[in-house]
Amino acid sequence: MDESAGTRRDGRDASDASGPGTRDPLLPDAGPVPRAERRLAVAAGARAVLITAGLLTAYYLLPLTGRLTGGTAALLGCGLAAVLLVFSWELRVIARSPHPRLRAVEALAATVSLFLVLFAGAYLLLDRSAPGAFSEPLTRTDALYFALSTFTTVGFGDIVAHARAARLVTMLQMVGGLLLVGVAARVLAGAVETGLRRRSRRPPGGAAASPARGEAAPPSRGEDGGQEVRT
């Protein structure tokens, strides 16, 4: 039985299948994917910047005018515990996220920023509670600068911890920074790998949708490679 060139075997006109809003599922949809990935990357970078800016704003606005006492030392310990809790929560989110690399960037920005702000506040309170604890009086920016230079192991030597308590807090930050850079970075990489494996096992479009009631099933191919025409 002869069929016209413009009519498909299921009885519908071939021009209807190529109309607006339809797409051949066998053809790769390469257009919107890179654009969507760029939007997600920009959004993740913006969230990381906002997290860092928010923590820095809180550091400059909080009334850190008291002295480093037992209560403030306990608050520092609670802050470090909060860093661990936030990091553990971010690991679970990264492993379950459809975009684990982007979530890892946000988690690293939040963890490092909170870590630096906590120690900068501790240095500022320590300097105000014990004058002469450092080689020069510290402002908020100086305390943050000293925390950042200690974290990056640069050690310019322009600000030095003189008092024993200041050296103890500085050594605590050194150990915490090494753990954050070495162990935490490896754990983050493992969470990213877990998320990527989970995403690769997930079908791109979810489960294959079954044909709706009343609609014809797609034509099957015969053994000779041609389409089987249903009558």
Side-chain angles (χ1 to χ4, degrees), residues 53 55 61 77 96 133 167:
L55 290 173
L61 293 180
R96 298 179 181 181
R167 291 180 178 180

Side-chain angles (χ1 to χ4, degrees), residues 91 94-95 100-104 187-197:
L91 289 179
I94 291 169
R101 292 191 181 95
L102 302 180
R103 291 294 304 182
V187 173
L188 275 177
V192 170
E193 290 294 333
T194 302
L196 290 176
R197 286 196 301 267

Side-chain angles (χ1 to χ4, degrees), residues 15 39 90 96 100 133 152 175 218:
S15 60
R39 286 198 299 265
E90 288 287 353
R96 298 179 181 181
T152 56
V175 174

Side-chain angles (χ1 to χ4, degrees), residues 58-98:
Y59 167 72
Y60 277 97
L61 293 180
L62 285 176
L64 300 175
T65 57
R67 295 187 176 185
L68 185 62
T69 59
T72 53
L75 287 177
L76 176 61
C78 293
L80 294 178
V83 171
L84 294 177
L85 289 177
V86 170
F87 184 74
S88 302
W89 176 76
E90 288 287 353
L91 289 179
R92 298 183 61 184
V93 173
I94 291 169
R96 298 179 181 181
S97 174

Side-chain angles (χ1 to χ4, degrees), residues 144-209:
L144 185 61
Y145 164 78
F146 180 70
L148 183 58
S149 61
T150 303
F151 177 76
T152 56
T153 66
V154 174
F156 290 111
D158 49 353
I159 301 178
V160 182
H162 284 169
R164 182 176 300 176
R167 291 180 178 180
L168 287 175
V169 177
T170 304
M171 287 190 293
L172 180 61
Q173 187 197 348
M174 290 177 182
V175 174
L178 290 176
L179 293 176
L180 186 61
V181 172
V183 179
R186 180 165 303 201
V187 173
L188 275 177
V192 170
E193 290 294 333
T194 302
L196 290 176
R197 286 196 301 267
R198 181 173 297 181
R199 189 179 66 174
S200 63
R201 291 195 298 265
R202 185 182 307 167

Side-chain angles (χ1 to χ4, degrees), residues 5 12 20 27 34 47-48 53 62 74-76 88 102 104 108 110 117 123 129 180 195 198 203 208 214 218 221 226:
R12 291 183 296 178
L27 295 177
R47 284 193 295 268
L62 285 176
L75 287 177
L76 176 61
S88 302
L102 302 180
L108 191 61
V117 164
Y123 295 141
S129 61
L180 186 61
R198 181 173 297 181
R221 294 184 178 274

